[in-house]
Amino acid sequence: MNLNGTNGGFMQGRAGDSCVMIIFGATGDLTKRKLIPALYNLAKAKLLSRKFALVGAAFDPFTAEAFRDQMLDAIKTYATDELDAEVLAWFEKRIFYVQGDFRDPEFYWRLKELCTEVCGKNAIDENYFYYLATAPIFFGEIVRQLGHAGMTAEECDNWRRVIIEKPFGHDLESAKELNNDIKKVLRERQIYRIDHYLGKETVQNIMVFRFANSIFEPIWNRRYIDHVQITAAETVGVERRGGYYETAGAMRDMVPNHLFQLLSLTTMEPPVSFEADAVRDEQTKALRSLQMLSPEDVLSKTARGQYCEGQLEGEPVPGYREEPGVARDSRTETFVAMKLMIDNWRWADVPFYLRTGKRMAARTTEISIQFRRAPLVLFRNTDIENLQTNRLVLRLQPNEGISLQFGAKVPGPVMQLGPVKMDFDYADYFHCTPNTGYERLLLDCMTGDATLFQRADMVEAGWNLIQPVLDVWKALPPRQFPNYAAGSWGPREADELLERDGRQWNNGG
Ligand SMILES: NC(=O)C1=CN([C@@H]2O[C@H](COP(=O)(O)OP(=O)(O)OC[C@H]3O[C@@H](n4cnc5c(N)ncnc54)[C@H](OP(=O)(O)O)[C@@H]3O)[C@@H](O)[C@H]2O)C=CC1
Ligand SMILES: O=C1O[C@H](COP(=O)(O)O)[C@@H](O)[C@H](O)[C@H]1O
C-alpha cells in the first residue's frame, strides 16, 4: 500500500495497468453516480493507462453510441473535477457496450469476443477488470459464468480481477456460500470485495494518525480510554433504493461493513507492515476479538428505530413508510445502535458504542474517543463532570478533520475549568477536498493492491458478530415502528443505551 501521498490523495501514485474494465450493471445508479465520474477523474489525473477501455454490460438494448452518450451525461452531472474537453473526447472513444442477460451463457461468449476485439484494435493488454455493479443475486452467477467462458484464468502476464460490490451476502450463511462459490473459480488474490469507506482519505488517515504519531499510541488503550463512540449519521433517506433497503435495513447496510471497518482500524494492533495481508490480518483479529452478543445482550445492548415524518433544515420530510419502494407497514429498521466489548488486553472493559441511521439531525461520520477523567478534583468550583474533558474526535465526513478537546482555565478571578477544542481541518490544511473513495479503489485494483479491500475472513467475522442480533430481532414480536422523527438523533432507546452506563452520545459536542 502506498501511504506516501499526503496532499493529493489519489492524485499521486502510479497509473493503473493497461486493461479492459467490464462493468456488469453499466446502466445502473452506482455506475452513473460513482464509477464513471471516478474513472473520468482518474483519466484527468493521468492515472488511467492510455491503453484502457471500458465495456459496459447490462440488460437494456442500448447501442454503443446511446450508452456513450449516457456515460458522458453522467460525467457532466456527477464528476467532481472540472470538465476537460480533451479528456472527455479521449474517454468517449474508449467506451463500448454489450447487451445481454447475466443468466444467459451465450452472453459471456459475446462479451469475450467483444473484449478480444477491443484489445486487438486498441493495442490493450488482455488484463480484464470485472466490476460487479449489479444486484447481489448475480454475483455468484456472473463469476461462475465468466469461469465457464474461460475468462477468469490468469495467463502469462495477464491478470483477471473482480470487484464485488456490497452487500456481500445477506447473512453469515449466504456470505460463506458466496465465498465458497467464487473461490471455486477465482483465487483470493483475484477477488476485491469493495467497501467504499476504505477508499476515503480520512478513513485511511486513521492508520496514519495512530501509527505515525508516537504520542497517541501509548495512551490508545483501556488505561486511558473510557469509551469510544462511532457514529455514521445521514440526513438523507433511502432515496431511489427503497426496494433494496427493505431487504437490508440499517444493520446489514452499514454495520458489518462500514462501521466494522472503522472499528477494526481504530482498535487493531500495529501491523507488521502496510502490505495488504499484514493490515487485513490485524483487522480480522480485532473483529474476532469482539464479544459475541447473547440473546439477553441483544435486548439490553442494541437499539433500533425507523423514522416517521419530521423536519430537516426547516423543511418537512416524509416518513420511511412513505418512501418509494417501501411497504406501508414496513418493519425495516433505518437506525441501529449497539454496545460492543472487545476481549483482548488492550480493550477489555472499554465499551464501544456504534450507531448509524438515516434522516438524522445532521450528517456526520466520526469516531469519538473519550479519555478517562483526571483522578482528582484539585480545582474549587469544578465538579467531577467538568473533568471529563479529554476527547479526541476523528471526523470522517463532512468537514473532515481531527479535534482534541481539553480543559482550560476560564478567564477571571475564580479558578474554573472549561472544555476547549483544538481543531485540524483536512481541507484547510491540504487545500483539497477528500474524494469519494471510488477513484482510489478503482486505481488500487488496476495496480493490484488489495489492502483497502475486504478479505473473505474479514467479511465472515463481521457477519458472525451480527448474525445473533439478526436472529433475535427476527424472533421477537414486531417493534412499535416508526419510533423516531426525521431530523432527530434517533429513538429514545438509543439514548437509554448510554444512559444506563452513565454516559451520553456526543451529538456534535
Ligand atoms: N447505488 C448506490 O449508491 C450503491 C450501490 N451499491 C451496490 O451496487 C450494486 C448496483 O447497485 P445499483 O447501481 O444501485 O443498482 P441498479 O438497480 O440501479 O442497477 C442494476 C444494473 O444491473 C443490470 N441488470 C439487472 N438485472 C440484469 C440481468 N438479468 N441481466 C443483465 N443486466 C441486469 C441493470 O440493467 P438494466 O437497467 O439494463 O436492466 C442495471 O444496469 C448493488 O449491489 C448495490 O448494493 C453499493 C453502494 C452504493
Ligand atoms: O454503502 C452505503 O453507504 C452510504 C453512505 O456512504 P457515504 O459515503 O455517503 O457515507 C449509505 O447511504 C448507503 O445506504 C449504503 O448502502
Side-chain angles (χ1 to χ4, degrees):
M1 179 189 187
N2 174 14
L3 283 174
N4 300 327
T6 48
N7 63 345
F10 77 92
M11 307 302 280
Q12 296 178 345
R14 85 164 165 95
D17 296 347
S18 166
C19 65
V20 180
M21 177 174 177
I22 298 115
I23 302 185
F24 292 86
T27 54
D29 181 69
L30 181 74
T31 305
K32 266 185 256 174
R33 286 194 308 116
K34 305 282 187 188
L35 304 184
I36 294 296
L39 284 171
Y40 167 79
N41 287 347
L42 286 175
K44 197 172 166 213
K46 301 207 176 341
L47 288 171
L48 215 49
S49 164
R50 300 301 292 170
K51 294 202 251 165
F52 170 85
L54 173 70
V55 172
F59 198 63
D60 261 340
F62 271 132
T63 59
E65 289 69 34
F67 178 67
R68 264 178 216 132
D69 288 347
Q70 200 184 69
M71 295 302 104
L72 291 190
D73 280 349
I75 294 172
K76 288 173 190 158
T77 315
Y78 298 112
T80 48
D81 263 8
E82 266 174 42
L83 294 183
D84 178 317
E86 211 176 299
V87 178
L88 271 181
W90 176 86
F91 194 63
E92 182 182 0
K93 276 193 237 138
R94 324 192 76 76
I95 300 179
F96 304 85
Y97 184 73
V98 57
Q99 188 275 336
D101 188 329
F102 298 152
R103 291 162 294 195
D104 173 12
E106 200 268 328
F107 159 76
Y108 294 84
W109 296 105
R110 280 188 286 119
L111 172 68
K112 189 175 183 179
E113 207 172 275
L114 177 66
C115 290
T116 313
E117 189 186 315
V118 165
C119 287
K121 284 195 182 148
N122 298 281
I124 297 172
D125 297 346
E126 285 199 38
N127 292 321
Y128 292 158
F129 168 12
Y130 306 110
Y131 197 117
L132 311 194
T134 186
I137 43 161
F138 296 119
F139 293 167
E141 170 87 9
I142 293 173
V143 171
R144 194 178 59 76
Q145 298 261 19
L146 284 172
H148 196 246
M151 296 180 77
T152 51
E154 298 190 308
E155 306 143 8
C156 311
D157 294 333
N158 291 138
W159 51 255
R160 308 278 187 269
R161 296 179 190 141
V162 186
I163 289 194
I164 303 185
E165 257 302 335
K166 67 173 280 258
F168 195 94
H170 186 71
D171 52 18
L172 178 60
E173 199 186 322
S174 56
K176 280 185 174 169
E177 208 174 296
L178 183 55
N179 272 329
N180 285 341
D181 287 350
I182 60 179
K183 282 185 185 175
K184 285 181 192 147
V185 180
L186 301 166
R187 289 161 191 246
E188 183 61 35
R189 67 176 156 80
Q190 295 177 276
I191 307 168
Y192 289 68
R193 298 172 193 79
I194 201 164
D195 182 321
H196 79 275
Y197 261 49
L198 286 173
K200 292 178 195 280
E201 291 286 337
T202 42
V203 172
Q204 294 160 47
N205 193 42
I206 300 170
M207 278 191 281
V208 177
F209 181 81
R210 286 192 55 197
F211 304 128
N213 296 296
S214 61
I215 62 171
F216 296 108
E217 201 49 27
I219 55 169
W220 210 258
N221 58 50
R222 64 190 301 275
R223 280 189 71 190
Y224 298 96
I225 293 176
D226 177 72
H227 74 277
V228 176
Q229 298 183 14
I230 301 183
T231 297
E234 298 183 271
T235 49
V236 290
V238 286
E239 300 179 297
R240 296 161 296 272
R241 300 174 65 217
Y244 151 74
Y245 202 83
E246 277 285 87
T247 64
M251 180 67 121
R252 288 185 169 92
D253 190 43
M254 294 291 288
V255 178
N257 34 65
H258 306 327
L259 292 198
F260 281 2
Q261 291 298 340
L262 303 184
L263 179 66
S264 60
L265 290 171
T266 307
T267 57
M268 71 183 189
E269 293 301 314
V272 291
S273 74
F274 280 108
E275 294 301 316
D277 275 331
V279 174
R280 299 189 299 180
D281 282 347
E282 293 307 331
Q283 283 187 275
T284 310
K285 248 169 67 188
L287 291 177
R288 288 205 180 126
S289 309
L290 283 163
Q291 231 174 59
M292 291 292 283
L293 298 183
S294 68
E296 294 71 38
D297 289 337
V298 175
L299 299 180
S300 62
K301 295 182 180 169
T302 69
R304 58 196 157 129
Q306 185 193 79
Y307 62 87
C308 59
E309 72 282 356
Q311 294 259 329
L312 261 161
E313 288 167 4
E315 295 293 322
V317 288
Y320 175 66
R321 291 176 178 183
E322 280 83 60
E323 304 272 16
V326 173
R328 297 295 161 253
D329 59 351
S330 171
R331 301 267 166 218
T332 304
E333 83 284 355
T334 58
F335 173 96
V336 59
M338 42 197 321
K339 173 183 172 181
L340 295 173
M341 306 297 290
I342 297 185
D343 279 341
N344 65 23
W345 279 47
R346 187 190 281 262
W347 296 114
D349 301 328
V350 178
F352 288 79
Y353 301 101
L354 275 54
R355 67 177 164 166
T356 181
K358 297 223 178 256
R359 288 282 193 226
M360 296 190 59
R363 176 176 179 238
T364 176
T365 305
E366 65 175 36
I367 301 165
S368 172
I369 293 150
Q370 181 67 55
F371 289 89
R372 288 183 188 278
R373 59 167 68 107
L376 270 180
V377 190
L378 288 177
F379 313 104
R380 271 177 291 143
N381 303 318
T382 301
D383 59 31
I384 191 82
E385 289 311 313
N386 276 350
L387 283 182
Q388 194 95 24
T389 45
N390 294 135
R391 178 190 294 154
L392 180 78
V393 179
L394 308 177
R395 283 192 316 275
L396 306 171
Q397 60 187 20
N399 311 323
E400 293 80 356
I402 296 175
S403 67
L404 180 63
Q405 181 180 289
F406 55 91
K409 181 183 172 298
V410 177
V414 183
M415 179 56 97
Q416 204 185 342
L417 263 185
V420 296
K421 263 195 214 161
M422 208 159 65
D423 254 326
F424 151 70
D425 186 292
Y426 223 85
D428 254 14
Y429 195 85
F430 290 121
H431 308 294
C432 73
T433 318
N435 62 77
T436 61
Y438 282 92
E439 290 86 353
R440 174 62 196 263
L441 296 172
L442 292 175
L443 182 61
D444 280 0
C445 187
M446 289 186 235
T447 57
D449 184 346
T451 314
L452 300 177
F453 292 83
Q454 301 192 81
R455 223 169 40 188
D457 52 355
M458 283 168 82
V459 172
E460 289 177 17
W463 279 116
N464 190 41
L465 199 99
I466 68 156
Q467 190 61 53
V469 183
L470 296 172
D471 292 343
V472 172
W473 282 359
K474 199 171 162 195
L476 286 173
R479 293 302 317 274
Q480 287 299 316
F481 278 169
N483 61 352
Y484 73 97
S488 72
W489 280 106
R492 177 78 198 112
E493 62 184 67
D495 294 330
E496 287 164 1
L497 184 69
L498 268 72
E499 284 164 11
R500 281 197 286 276
D501 295 345
R503 301 185 173 104
Q504 54 187 12
W505 291 106
N506 174 25
N507 291 335

